[in-house]
């Protein structure tokens, strides 16, 4: 299906921000369910995408962009086709154009990341590194606008001075892009620093194209009504939500936030429907005692929940035969007589996206002292002692571009 380049409007929209290892297909569909108008995929690097082959997956009803090593780098489906924006990390106009042409018939828009301050993005001259090279910005955006049929946008951070920021955004507007997303912090600033609503407002007052305000999760956006308050404070056309949506995607729901357990199980069901098992085709060839046939993915999740729960209560976990082909025998075998979860993960497994903390595990909160493997989190300021599974790990099971990872395993 070929979309008209004018079909995606950036005025008065609620937008799911691009988030690495979070903005995969299940998360995007979940955000659309809860009321998001536009969803961005996570930043995908041009050098990786340019090697991919487009594959129509008739089993899952998806379109997959598959790398030479058979990893799915980007996956989309018809339901989100007219509302998903593909964000790329690039520092070269020709590579950017090649990637945009590869995916343009399967997405609603193309975005260039010019705001990510992380080293994995900036070390290749991408992300926030582009902000110091306006000539390269202009060349990349102009090439994309002239070379594809989809609307082109970019996402930036503000510069140290308002004058430099306004000069840059005016130059960006002249390239012909459809909209610009502005994260109201400087390159060196992090979420604990206040977002500069005044600078976003000055940009919105200066430009004629839609301005999308971003960066309000920490200070401003805690519930649905806060999104409109943030939009008015910045005079922006639309609002892009990142961490508030990562904590709970139902932030887009007018009726209010839904319980985390409900959101989690819906996320997992999308993984089941879309076959987001690393074994492929929606079925997992795992074997436990008494299980000889490959089981549906729902059973696959239940199995993982059971084993992970047992690893929390077993002092000396032993290697498991579960999901050997998927997870390289990384699970702990349930000890004999151990009580196991009867259904999908609920109380014991929570994606990092659904808890308000991005910090690494601390030794102090563990009942027996030693820290856990990466991915275990706890809700800041609460008394919850059950480790929480990182969505970055969960997305390695249900995501597009990561290798299978071992589940976090508790040391006690």
């Amino acid at each position: 299906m070929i979309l008209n380049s004018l079909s995606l409007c950036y005025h008065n929209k609620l937008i799911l921000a691009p988030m690495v290892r979070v903005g995969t297909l299940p998360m995007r569909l979940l955000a659309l369910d809860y009321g998001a108008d536009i969803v961005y995929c996570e930043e995908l690097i041009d050098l990786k995408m340019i090697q991919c082959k487009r594959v129509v997956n008739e089993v899952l009803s998806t379109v997959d962009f598959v790398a030479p090593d058979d990893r799915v780098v980007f996956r989309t489906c018809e339901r989100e086709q007219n509302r998903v924006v593909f964000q790329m990390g690039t520092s070269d106009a020709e590579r950017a154009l090649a990637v945009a042409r590869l995916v343009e018939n399967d997405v609603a828009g193309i975005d260039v990341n010019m705001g990510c301050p992380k080293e994995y993005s900036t070390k290749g001259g991408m992300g926030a590194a582009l902000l110091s090279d306006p000539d390269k910005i202009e060349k990349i955006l102009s090439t994309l606008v002239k070379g594809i049929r989809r609307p082109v946008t970019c996402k930036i951070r503000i510069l140290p001075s308002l004058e430099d920021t306004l000069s840059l955004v005016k130059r960006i507007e002249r390239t012909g892009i459809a909209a610009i997303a502005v994260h109201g912090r400087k390159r060196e600033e992090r979420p604990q620093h206040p977002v500069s609503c005044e600078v976003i407002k000055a940009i919105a007052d200066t430009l004629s194209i839609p301005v999308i305000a971003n960066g309000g999760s920490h200070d401003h956006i805690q519930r649905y009504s806060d999104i409109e308050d943030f939009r008015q404070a910045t005079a922006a056309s639309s609002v892009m939500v990142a961490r508030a949506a990562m904590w709970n995607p139902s932030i887009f729901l007018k009726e209010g936030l839904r319980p985390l357990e409900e959101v989690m199980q819906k996320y997992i069901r999308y993984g089941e429907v879309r076959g987001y098992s690393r074994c492929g085709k929606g079925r997992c060839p795992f074997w436990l005692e008494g299980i000889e046939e490959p089981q549906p993915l729902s059973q696959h999740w239940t199995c993982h929940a059971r084993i992970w729960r047992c690893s929390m209560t077993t002092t000396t976990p032993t290697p498991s035969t579960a999901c050997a082909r998927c997870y390289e025998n990384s699970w702990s075998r349930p000890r004999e007589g151990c009580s196991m979860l009867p259904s999908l993960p609920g109380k014991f497994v929570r994606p990092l996206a659904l808890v308000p903390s991005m910090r690494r595990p601390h030794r102090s909160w563990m009942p027996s002292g030693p820290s856990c493997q990466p991915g275990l989190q706890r809700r800041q300021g609460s008394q919850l002692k059950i480790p929480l599974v990182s969505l970055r790990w969960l997305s390695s099971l249900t995501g597009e571009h990561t290798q299978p990872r071992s589940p976090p395993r508790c040391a006690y």
Side-chain angles (χ1 to χ4, degrees):
M1 178 173 64
I2 304 298
L3 303 175
N4 186 287
S5 62
L6 299 178
S7 63
L8 190 62
C9 173
Y10 291 92
H11 287 282
N12 196 29
K13 300 298 182 182
L14 303 180
I15 302 174
L16 177 69
M19 292 178 281
V20 172
R21 292 186 182 174
V22 173
T24 52
L25 181 58
M27 185 64 148
R28 299 195 303 267
L29 294 178
L30 201 58
L32 291 174
D33 281 350
Y34 287 126
D37 300 302
I38 300 172
V39 291
Y40 279 55
C41 77
E42 56 188 325
E43 177 194 19
L44 296 171
I45 307 303
D46 57 358
L47 287 171
K48 180 182 289 290
M49 281 297 301
I50 207 169
Q51 303 175 51
C52 291
K53 178 181 179 181
R54 181 183 184 273
V55 177
V56 176
N57 190 328
E58 296 181 355
V59 175
L60 304 179
S61 300
T62 61
V63 175
D64 300 342
F65 292 85
V66 185
D69 61 359
D70 292 332
R71 281 191 285 178
V72 178
V73 177
F74 176 60
R75 170 170 287 166
T76 185
C77 64
E78 185 176 2
R79 185 185 161 211
E80 69 167 2
Q81 189 175 24
N82 62 349
R83 291 198 279 176
V84 63
V85 174
F86 179 89
Q87 188 190 68
M88 74 174 80
T90 185
S91 61
D92 181 83
E94 295 307 316
R95 286 202 305 267
L97 180 60
V99 172
R101 286 176 172 171
L102 176 66
V103 303
E104 68 172 323
N105 290 335
D106 300 296
V107 299
I110 301 292
D111 183 82
V112 179
N113 185 339
M114 300 183 180
C116 181
K118 299 295 186 179
E119 183 183 2
Y120 65 79
S121 187
T122 59
K123 67 183 179 182
M126 302 175 292
L130 286 171
L131 298 176
S132 59
D133 194 345
D135 291 337
K136 183 177 288 186
I137 289 177
E138 185 174 1
K139 183 177 181 181
I140 291 173
L141 294 178
S142 298
T143 300
L144 288 173
V145 169
K146 296 174 182 176
I148 63 174
R149 300 185 301 275
R150 296 290 174 266
V152 177
T153 60
C154 67
K155 185 172 183 287
I156 69 168
R157 284 188 172 228
I158 62 177
L159 299 179
S161 74
L162 177 60
E163 181 181 3
D164 290 342
T165 302
L166 294 180
S167 175
L168 176 63
V169 296
K170 288 177 184 177
R171 189 168 180 179
I172 289 175
E173 182 182 33
R174 289 195 292 269
T175 64
I177 63 171
I180 182 171
V182 180
H183 185 137
R185 293 184 178 89
K186 301 181 181 69
R187 174 175 175 174
E188 66 276 6
E189 292 180 330
R190 293 299 180 265
Q192 63 268 26
H193 297 98
V195 62
S196 299
C197 294
E198 299 80 7
V199 177
I200 301 178
K201 186 176 187 300
I203 294 172
D205 292 340
T206 300
L207 302 184
S208 59
I209 60 175
V211 172
I212 304 167
N214 177 235
S217 293
H218 188 273
D219 300 320
H220 298 270
I221 301 174
Q222 304 295 328
R223 56 185 63 84
Y224 176 84
S225 59
D226 295 336
I227 299 177
E228 177 60 22
D229 294 340
F230 182 58
R231 190 190 70 80
Q232 292 184 6
T234 57
S237 300
S238 299
V239 173
M240 176 180 283
V241 184
R243 283 171 300 120
M246 185 173 67
W247 299 331
N248 192 329
S250 65
I251 188 72
F252 298 110
L253 196 63
K254 291 182 180 180
E255 292 75 16
L257 293 171
R258 302 301 303 160
L260 295 179
E261 286 75 12
E262 174 186 320
V263 176
M264 283 168 19
Q265 293 196 18
K266 192 169 184 179
Y267 181 98
I268 292 171
R269 281 197 296 272
Y270 268 127
E272 179 179 0
V273 170
R274 293 297 171 185
Y276 270 63
S277 164
R278 300 305 304 189
C279 355
K281 296 190 178 181
R283 302 183 72 83
C284 173
F286 71 84
W287 289 266
L288 284 176
E289 296 178 30
I291 299 179
E292 299 178 354
E293 302 264 336
Q295 301 296 313
L297 191 60
S298 59
Q299 180 64 30
H300 170 89
W301 281 102
T302 306
C303 165
H304 293 348
R306 290 173 175 175
I307 298 171
W308 184 71
R309 174 64 177 119
C310 290
S311 74
M312 292 168 53
T313 58
T314 303
T315 304
T316 55
T318 57
S320 172
T321 56
C323 297
R325 291 176 57 187
C326 298
Y327 306 110
E328 303 172 342
N329 296 325
S330 300
W331 297 87
S332 301
R333 180 190 295 276
R335 62 183 180 182
E336 185 176 355
C338 177
S339 174
M340 299 190 297
L341 294 180
S343 59
L344 292 176
K347 296 181 180 179
F348 301 106
V349 181
R350 294 187 182 181
L352 176 60
L354 306 179
V355 296
S357 170
M358 287 288 288
R359 298 186 179 183
R360 294 183 181 278
H362 296 283
R363 297 174 64 90
S364 59
W365 73 269
M366 297 300 298
S368 60
S371 61
C372 288
Q373 296 179 5
L376 297 182
Q377 300 282 335
R378 66 163 294 196
R379 184 186 295 275
Q380 291 291 310
S382 77
Q383 299 301 313
L384 183 61
K385 297 298 183 182
I386 298 172
L388 307 179
V389 174
S390 165
L391 182 61
R392 283 181 172 79
W393 168 74
L394 184 58
S395 68
S396 75
L397 304 183
T398 64
E400 283 105 41
H401 65 93
T402 54
Q403 288 280 16
R405 296 186 176 189
S406 304
R409 195 171 54 182
C410 194
Y412 66 97

